[in-house]
Amino acid sequence: MNELGRLEDLPLDYRQALAAQNLVPLWPSLRAVLPPGQPRPATRATHWPYESLRPLLLKAGALTPIEKAERRVLVLANPGHGLEKMQASAAMYLGMQLLLPGEWAPAHRHTPNAVRMIVEGEGAYTTVDGQKCPMRRGDLILTPTGLWHEHGHDGDQPVVWLDVLDLPLVHYLEASYHVEGARQSVEPGQAERRYARGGLVPTPVFERSSTRYPMLRYPWADARAALLQLAEAEPGLEPVQITYVNPETGAHAQNILGFYALMLRPGQALRLPARSPAQVFHLIEGAAEVRVNDQQFALAEADTCCAPGYTAVHLANRSATAPAFVFIADETPLHQKLGVYENRG
Ligand code: 1HN
């Protein structure tokens, strides 16, 4: 490929004249913004073991009262982007949040979309758009853009969850902001029961209350049962995966990030194709191995790791007797909407 001229090849006075007029020559930077063949992601395959993160998160509970934190979170930052950027990939933010018994994280709403994947503890709840959502291990709870949300805890043990947000993207778009609010009044809601049977959508005869987010809580008990039933229906070694969707439209549950649960059968190994979106893997249950290029992570329960896009990922169940359940978040809806989605096999 043709070597392009460098910035240093240009006379200093010319470079200064350009800068003085807010002008930049393209050719010295052209290969950096359009590398040959495939992107060079800053996102690095990174593993955050829960066992070593947990004591530091609990210590944050002792060091910083909730009133001084609003949200008590340790961010899972990708070193490839620089820790201060607080991003796991180009579009994904990850954080582990701690709420102690009796604490309350006040209501606000913001433009980035969030989801919570509950990691441990009983008795906490989040109220989203007036719907009180109990938080139990493995549940996925949506906090879509613009909806009021607050967290409370009536139990007696610490509760921890994984937050996944599209904050890096929305911030990059200069569209990220929040608004503080008053405590929400709770309205009764049974969304997860209304949509409990696939293919059957409740159809009010007289009036349809249209909401863009008909289901906010996806209980793990339902997702786990669905995976086990799928595995039984496909007795071979077909991979078993579900997508968290909007039950009214069948589209991804949120606009920007995609969410999935994958079951690895006992002893199963799987190669996920090289696709353009970056991915996050969080182990809900079992023991798994994740290999990305020359890096290999042994995931224990509640561990989280990420992989850049355009890279095949090898997953394996480390147990020969028990299934492993993996929660996956990725940038697929975003890439598809932008028309940059690729599957390179
Ligand atoms: C947020 O609102 C929450 O509501 C958690 O629990 C993490 C990270 C960045 C921006 C907003 C929450 C967040 C956040």
Side-chain angles (χ1 to χ4, degrees), residues 2-89:
N2 201 10
E3 278 292 309
L4 299 180
R6 299 167 304 167
L7 197 58
E8 309 84 82
D9 299 338
L10 298 169
L12 185 60
D13 61 341
Y14 177 69
R15 281 148 58 188
Q16 286 170 340
L18 289 178
Q21 309 242 23
N22 298 319
L23 297 170
V24 176
L26 172 61
W27 58 96
S29 306
L30 185 58
R31 297 281 186 253
V33 293
L34 278 181
Q38 70 174 61
R40 295 200 197 107
T43 301
R44 244 186 255 162
T46 307
H47 179 199
W48 295 273
Y50 190 60
E51 191 185 15
S52 45
L53 175 166
R54 187 178 185 276
L56 295 171
L57 186 57
L58 290 177
K59 192 157 183 182
L63 292 171
T64 306
I66 191 72
E67 296 75 21
K68 288 281 174 199
E70 222 166 271
R71 301 296 192 260
R72 193 191 290 106
V73 178
L74 292 181
V75 179
L76 280 49
N78 194 301
H81 288 273
L83 301 184
E84 70 289 349
K85 289 280 179 56
M86 299 199 298
Q87 56 193 100
S89 71

Side-chain angles (χ1 to χ4, degrees), residues 195-272:
Y195 296 105
R197 307 225 174 251
L200 302 173
V201 180
T203 309
V205 171
F206 297 114
E207 208 170 298
R208 170 150 234 103
S209 67
S210 67
T211 163
R212 285 180 66 196
Y213 300 99
M215 191 155 155
L216 294 170
R217 176 170 183 259
Y218 296 75
W220 175 235
D222 292 345
R224 190 179 190 279
L227 286 165
L228 287 168
Q229 273 183 7
L230 271 174
E232 251 178 63
E234 288 274 6
L237 268 184
E238 269 306 296
V240 180
Q241 185 175 222
I242 53 175
T243 301
Y244 293 92
V245 300
N246 177 324
E248 293 279 354
T249 65
H252 282 282
Q254 290 193 162
N255 283 326
I256 297 177
L257 302 182
F259 307 101
Y260 319 84
L262 177 85
M263 177 182 139
L264 292 167
R265 300 165 196 261
Q268 183 169 26
L270 200 60
R271 177 189 178 277
L272 304 180

Side-chain angles (χ1 to χ4, degrees), residues 71 73 93 97 108 110 112 114 116 149 151 161 163 165 167:
R71 301 296 192 260
V73 178
Y93 156 105
Q97 183 160 169
H108 69 182
H110 41 68
R116 338 253 163 229
H149 56 283
H151 317 306
W161 63 83
D163 292 312
L165 282 83
L167 176 66

Side-chain angles (χ1 to χ4, degrees), residues 7 16 31-32 37 95 116 118 136 138 166 168 185 189 193 195 216 280 285 304 309 328 333 338 345:
L7 197 58
Q16 286 170 340
R31 297 281 186 253
R116 338 253 163 229
I118 316 310
R136 301 208 183 87
D166 48 27
S185 46
R193 296 270 69 89
Y195 296 105
L216 294 170
V280 164
E285 190 183 318
T304 307
I328 302 175
L338 295 181

Side-chain angles (χ1 to χ4, degrees), residues 87 89-93 113 165-173 252-260 275-278 329-342:
Q87 56 193 100
S89 71
M92 290 189 284
Y93 156 105
N113 297 274
L165 282 83
D166 48 27
L167 176 66
L169 175 78
V170 179
H171 184 257
Y172 174 76
L173 296 175
H252 282 282
Q254 290 193 162
N255 283 326
I256 297 177
L257 302 182
F259 307 101
Y260 319 84
R275 301 176 313 124
S276 54
D330 79 359
E331 301 164 335
T332 292
L334 174 66
H335 281 220
Q336 287 176 336
K337 288 186 177 98
L338 295 181
V340 299
Y341 180 86
E342 279 186 54

